[in-house]
Amino acid sequence: QLHTAKLQAIESILEETNEPLVVVFYHHGFAESLKAKFKDKVAVIDSTNFTRVQDEWNAGGLRILAFQYAKGAYGLSLQHGGRNICFAEPTYMADHYAQAIERIGPMRQAQSGYQRTVNVFQLCAADTHDSRVFDVVVGKISVEQALTLAIRDAELTAP
């Protein structure tokens, strides 16, 4: 773990909204940090607990539901448990982002009879790999440019 800024940001979101939060991550290490910080307030979806955790979330039994982009987004129906989603780590894959937002998003909310705004939080650490991913996603740079910058920066900091 390099820093706790993102965990602090998630804690702030929880305090300010006073509502449950879906957290989407990319690396397993981030899920471990979430569990260490929030203990029994977080459930991380995996292939062994998919239905149970989804049902617990939709029944209002979880403060934080977390899943990895590629493993948790498909097939989930999360609109009954809340309206807030936080992308803790960025991804290059637009489909992963779209699938995650669709699980709790405005259309899902409306289909279930909710007329509430969906809040989307995106965490990005400045001057890091995160910021390069965001630059690729919004079209400021190419994936090739992001990779070249990462290699250059690694060479500059290597002993």
Side-chain angles (χ1 to χ4, degrees):
Q1 181 173 328
L2 300 176
H3 60 79
T4 60
K6 289 185 179 187
L7 297 173
Q8 291 168 350
I10 290 169
E11 186 172 43
S12 179
I13 292 167
L14 289 167
E15 289 172 2
E16 291 178 30
T17 64
N18 197 31
E19 296 179 22
L21 181 65
V22 170
V23 175
V24 186
F25 62 91
Y26 191 81
H27 297 96
H28 290 288
F30 189 82
E32 296 304 315
S33 296
L34 265 178
K35 289 190 278 187
K37 168 88 174 157
F38 296 103
K39 310 223 180 321
D40 61 343
K41 294 179 184 175
V42 63
V44 178
I45 287 184
D46 62 36
S47 60
T48 66
N49 65 9
F50 190 91
T51 302
R52 180 187 57 78
V53 172
Q54 174 182 260
D55 292 347
E56 190 175 351
W57 167 263
N58 281 323
L62 294 174
R63 187 77 169 135
I64 302 171
L65 179 144
F67 62 83
Q68 189 178 35
Y69 282 98
K71 295 195 177 181
Y74 297 93
L76 287 174
S77 180
L78 302 175
Q79 70 276 11
H80 301 297
R83 64 186 183 123
N84 299 319
I85 186 166
C86 174
F87 293 92
E89 297 178 300
T91 178
Y92 290 111
M93 302 294 293
D95 184 53
H96 288 171
Y97 176 83
Q99 283 295 321
I101 197 72
E102 200 277 331
R103 302 301 122 208
I104 196 171
M107 184 59 73
R108 231 1 115 105
Q109 298 283 330
Q111 289 171 341
S112 297
Y114 299 110
Q115 294 184 352
R116 56 188 178 190
T117 302
V118 174
N119 298 307
V120 178
F121 303 90
Q122 293 184 315
L123 305 182
C124 179
D127 300 321
T128 66
H129 179 69
D130 282 5
S131 58
R132 288 193 195 105
V133 175
F134 273 108
D135 285 347
V136 169
V137 172
V138 298
K140 290 182 180 179
I141 64 174
S142 69
V143 173
E144 182 179 355
Q145 288 169 316
L147 180 59
T148 301
L149 290 170
I151 292 169
R152 180 203 67 194
D153 292 348
E155 289 173 350
L156 290 176
T157 60

